[in-house]
Amino acid sequence: MKKIINQANRVVPEMLEGFEATHSRLVRLLPEARAVLRRIPKSPGKVALISGGGSGHEPAHAGYVGFGMLDAAVAGNVFASPNPEQLLAALDELKNQAGILMIIKNYSGDVMNFGIAAEMAAEKGAIIEKVVVNDDVALAGRDKPDWRRGIAGTVFVHKIAGAAAEKGMRLAEVRELAERAVAGMGSMGVALSPCIVPEAGKPGFSLGENEMEIGLGIHGEAGARKTAVLPADEIAGELFARIRDDVGLKSGDKVAVLVNGLGGTPPLELYILARAARRLADQAGLNISYSLVGNYMTSLEMAGASLTLLRLDAELEELLAAPALTPAIYQPAPGQ
Amino acid sequence: MKKIINQANRVVPEMLEGFEATHSRLVRLLPEARAVLRRIPKSPGKVALISGGGSGHEPAHAGYVGFGMLDAAVAGNVFASPNPEQLLAALDELKNQAGILMIIKNYSGDVMNFGIAAEMAAEKGAIIEKVVVNDDVALAGRDKPDWRRGIAGTVFVHKIAGAAAEKGMRLAEVRELAERAVAGMGSMGVALSPCIVPEAGKPGFSLGENEMEIGLGIHGEAGARKTAVLPADEIAGELFARIRDDVGLKSGDKVAVLVNGLGGTPPLELYILARAARRLADQAGLNISYSLVGNYMTSLEMAGASLTLLRLDAELEELLAAPALTPAIYQPAPGQ
């Protein structure tokens, strides 16, 4: 196992310390809770957003804490859910009048622990709603929502709900917009290498010299099937078709696109994949109005990438385009 | 060779197409010249900046084209200098009254080809100055400037010179500031894996299961020495000491820090290295006033990272903090 780390059981707190030091103008760390919060809190009259999950997906989710996105992100151990006590400590920092929206990736540990924390906070008077993101189309269709994992599309939900909250929308409206994003979104990924959980010390699956996995999640698990390494355009073609069918995208639809690196794949390859996705969208008559290319939701040092497509209406489009200032996504107001 | 590409000899034009499509609000591509230019050109009364070099270092340099940084970036083949004709085509787009500064990483091909292009453009009436970046401290001290390669610190030069040009400073002043940055800066890297040039199809060096290279460049070449994989804090300690001695940093100095990923190393590890660098800076009495952590100057899919330290005076500090809006670095004006 080759990694730039000190001790396998110290990677999360050390990463968080480095993160806070690097982005101290934007965020602060609550070390015991492993929670990253905005340096300058949002007004209590606006809805607050909290997310989190296992570590190893950086910059998710701490990288999305800041103006126009999240108010708090809580980090579990690598690929392990944060516990309810951590989440409750972060929720205590967010106490407000407008209420709190939890953005949860669809894993049983996260759903359970965020749920317990929500109940504990509600008993103390907090107003909390939840949205569960299940954008992965690789394992199941929309008839089996529980089987669908939450992966990179979660970043779009952070952006949309964050902009809605920043505009002063009410909790029910922010939740409805986040749910609308989830309903119109699909993601699917490929891996060219496994990754190694530091405390495990060995990869979760193995791949031959010329093999790749298609349809995998972000926790080092194997994918839906193994194949020879395909050209970028074929990879994009397979991912695109699966997502298009899942979401029901039609010619004339406006979409947002995310080409997400899993940690070990460099920008050169991601942009080649982005080119392929762009051409497929053009051929399908889709109009791309927002796009991100980069490491937005990693899986440790896994080589690979995922594609996310999100159907946009005018409201979602405006919220994606709204300004944001976080460690991982900075964008000025449109026209600036 | 596992990569998300189509054909080894098509990676650069396809990457550039994907880059332009992704960042079309900020940049436009001159496809024949493989040059990325600002979508909205700078006023001709301000100094224009051009950089470039071999591909495989993305987001360098096209990712730094935009407000507050570069006006043009020209891409050669992977790890190969752009030719004078490409550079001249880009220079023709930048014709202005205030003059042009070339920012060149110290490789013989780049120095020669940028030099030839500068002469050709000067014959056509352009006013051109050059700065050569040689921040790598691994191979030679300041007594042998020709032996020092230009690596990740080049990003700081883009930021400083870009902010100076955006403020309307004259060409000689912009060049002097870029040279001041080069004089006060050092970088050094480590690799945990080699990388594979697509058209070569095999790695430039090999490493055992528990080996790393220290002091390598960004072109897949082996480093200054091979060692067992060290803990992050020891890696940081060795890089920090070498750079501190090279630059002559003293207690009380203000510095900028860049922890740069080489392409295959994820944010989790980079932030652990950033934490170590921060602690070393604190112990040495250095005051970090600007820091970047991420993939800023990659070496294809190489696993590894480099550390850059730059001594700041008040002027350099202000220029680093000035606003920028490019695909890879966006920062609002201080206080915004």
Side-chain angles (χ1 to χ4, degrees):
Chain A
M1 177 177 66
K2 285 187 181 180
K3 292 177 189 286
I4 302 178
I5 63 173
N6 290 302
Q7 283 173 251
N9 63 356
R10 291 278 306 156
V11 299
V12 176
E14 292 189 359
M15 173 271 288
L16 289 171
E17 270 185 53
F19 185 86
E20 183 195 34
T22 303
H23 305 293
S24 59
R25 280 169 205 165
L26 297 175
V27 302
R28 68 184 171 94
L29 176 66
L30 211 61
E32 323 76 53
R34 298 184 179 177
V36 171
L37 301 155
R38 287 197 198 189
R39 175 66 59 186
I40 301 162
K42 193 190 261 169
S43 134
K46 292 182 177 179
V47 170
L49 302 180
I50 184 170
S51 189
S55 291
H57 306 305
E58 296 69 27
H61 295 271
Y64 307 114
V65 171
F67 179 84
M69 295 188 76
L70 302 179
D71 296 274
V74 185
N77 283 325
V78 173
F79 296 168
S81 180
N83 65 43
E85 290 69 29
Q86 290 178 259
L87 291 161
L88 192 63
L91 288 168
D92 281 344
E93 299 283 319
L94 301 183
K95 283 231 176 85
N96 66 6
Q97 290 98 54
I100 297 167
L101 181 68
M102 290 179 155
I103 301 174
I104 308 166
K105 299 199 300 304
N106 190 32
Y107 298 101
S108 53
D110 284 347
V111 171
M112 186 174 71
N113 289 350
F114 276 81
I116 293 169
E119 285 183 31
M120 290 162 75
E123 279 175 26
K124 297 163 80 176
I127 303 158
I128 300 187
E129 299 270 359
K130 290 178 275 187
V131 61
V132 176
V133 183
N134 60 356
D135 53 319
D136 182 15
V137 308
L139 300 186
R142 293 189 177 262
D143 54 325
K144 290 183 183 162
D146 290 353
W147 281 80
R148 296 163 65 98
R149 298 167 290 199
I151 56 175
T154 309
V155 176
F156 283 148
V157 181
H158 293 342
K159 180 73 189 68
I160 285 167
E166 212 68 68
K167 283 182 72 171
M169 291 187 181
R170 286 175 301 119
L171 180 57
E173 295 171 301
V174 176
R175 193 194 65 188
E176 188 279 320
L177 284 157
E179 285 173 347
R180 201 191 304 170
V182 173
M185 182 168 76
S187 300
M188 188 161 153
V190 298
L192 277 64
S193 82
C195 62
I196 297 177
V197 175
E199 293 204 69
K202 56 183 203 296
F205 59 91
S206 65
L207 279 171
E209 267 299 296
N210 189 35
E211 283 181 332
M212 62 187 279
E213 292 271 353
I214 298 194
L216 73 169
I218 52 174
H219 294 99
E221 69 274 48
R225 71 183 173 90
K226 201 176 272 197
T227 176
V229 175
L230 300 173
D233 288 356
E234 286 185 40
I235 292 171
E238 176 156 350
L239 302 184
F240 184 90
R242 288 287 297 276
I243 299 165
R244 180 199 57 206
D245 293 350
D246 180 271
V247 178
L249 293 169
K250 300 178 307 292
S251 178
D253 281 348
K254 275 202 177 178
V255 292
V257 175
L258 166 60
V259 174
N260 173 57
L262 292 178
T265 287
L268 180 118
E269 298 176 41
L270 298 179
Y271 282 114
I272 290 173
L273 197 59
R275 168 186 174 272
R278 172 80 47 165
R279 291 157 66 98
L280 290 159
D282 288 348
Q283 287 160 21
L286 304 181
N287 177 1
I288 299 177
S289 82
Y290 184 83
S291 63
L292 297 175
V293 177
N295 288 346
Y296 287 95
M297 176 85 70
T298 59
S299 181
L300 295 170
E301 75 283 11
M302 181 174 276
S306 65
L307 176 66
T308 300
L309 300 172
L310 162 63
R311 184 198 292 115
L312 298 177
D313 56 28
E315 197 171 17
L316 295 181
E317 189 179 10
E318 185 192 323
L319 294 167
L320 279 180
L325 180 53
T326 72
I329 294 188
Y330 309 162
Q331 59 188 48
Q336 278 196 349
Chain B
M1 177 177 67
K2 284 187 182 180
K3 292 176 189 287
I4 301 177
I5 63 173
N6 290 302
Q7 284 174 250
N9 63 355
R10 292 278 305 155
V11 298
V12 176
E14 292 189 0
M15 173 270 289
L16 289 171
E17 270 184 53
F19 185 85
E20 183 194 33
T22 304
H23 304 293
S24 59
R25 279 168 204 166
L26 298 175
V27 302
R28 67 186 172 94
L29 176 65
L30 212 60
E32 322 78 53
R34 298 184 179 177
V36 171
L37 301 155
R38 286 198 198 190
R39 174 67 59 187
I40 300 161
K42 192 189 261 170
S43 135
K46 292 182 177 179
V47 170
L49 302 180
I50 184 170
S51 190
S55 292
H57 305 306
E58 296 70 25
H61 295 273
Y64 307 114
V65 172
F67 179 84
M69 296 188 76
L70 303 179
D71 296 274
V74 185
N77 283 326
V78 173
F79 297 169
S81 180
N83 65 43
E85 291 70 28
Q86 289 177 260
L87 292 161
L88 191 62
L91 289 168
D92 281 343
E93 300 282 322
L94 301 183
K95 284 235 175 78
N96 67 5
Q97 290 98 54
I100 297 167
L101 181 68
M102 288 179 156
I103 300 173
I104 308 166
K105 299 197 300 302
N106 191 32
Y107 299 100
S108 53
D110 285 347
V111 171
M112 185 174 72
N113 289 351
F114 276 81
I116 294 169
E119 285 182 28
M120 291 162 75
E123 279 175 24
K124 298 164 79 175
I127 304 157
I128 300 189
E129 300 269 0
K130 290 179 276 189
V131 61
V132 176
V133 183
N134 61 357
D135 53 318
D136 183 14
V137 308
L139 300 186
R142 293 188 177 259
D143 53 325
K144 291 183 182 163
D146 291 354
W147 281 79
R148 295 164 66 97
R149 299 167 288 198
I151 54 174
T154 309
V155 176
F156 283 149
V157 180
H158 294 342
K159 181 71 191 70
I160 286 167
E166 212 67 69
K167 283 181 72 170
M169 292 188 179
R170 288 175 302 116
L171 181 56
E173 296 171 301
V174 176
R175 193 195 64 187
E176 189 279 320
L177 284 157
E179 285 173 346
R180 201 191 304 170
V182 173
M185 182 168 75
S187 299
M188 189 162 154
V190 298
L192 276 63
S193 83
C195 62
I196 297 177
V197 175
E199 293 203 69
K202 55 183 203 297
F205 59 91
S206 64
L207 280 172
E209 267 299 297
N210 189 35
E211 284 181 333
M212 61 186 279
E213 292 271 353
I214 297 193
L216 74 168
I218 52 173
H219 294 99
E221 69 274 46
R225 70 182 175 89
K226 202 176 273 198
T227 175
V229 175
L230 300 173
D233 288 356
E234 286 184 39
I235 292 172
E238 177 156 349
L239 303 184
F240 184 90
R242 289 287 297 276
I243 300 165
R244 179 198 58 207
D245 293 350
D246 179 272
V247 177
L249 293 169
K250 301 180 306 296
S251 178
D253 282 348
K254 273 201 178 179
V255 293
V257 175
L258 166 59
V259 174
N260 174 57
L262 292 176
T265 287
L268 178 118
E269 297 177 40
L270 298 178
Y271 282 115
I272 289 173
L273 197 59
R275 168 186 175 272
R278 171 80 47 164
R279 290 158 67 98
L280 290 159
D282 287 348
Q283 286 160 21
L286 305 180
N287 178 359
I288 299 177
S289 83
Y290 185 83
S291 62
L292 297 175
V293 176
N295 287 347
Y296 287 96
M297 176 84 71
T298 59
S299 182
L300 295 170
E301 76 283 10
M302 181 175 275
S306 65
L307 176 66
T308 300
L309 300 172
L310 162 63
R311 185 197 293 115
L312 298 177
D313 56 27
E315 197 170 17
L316 295 181
E317 189 180 11
E318 185 191 324
L319 294 168
L320 278 180
L325 180 53
T326 72
I329 293 188
Y330 167 60
Q331 57 188 50
Q336 279 195 347

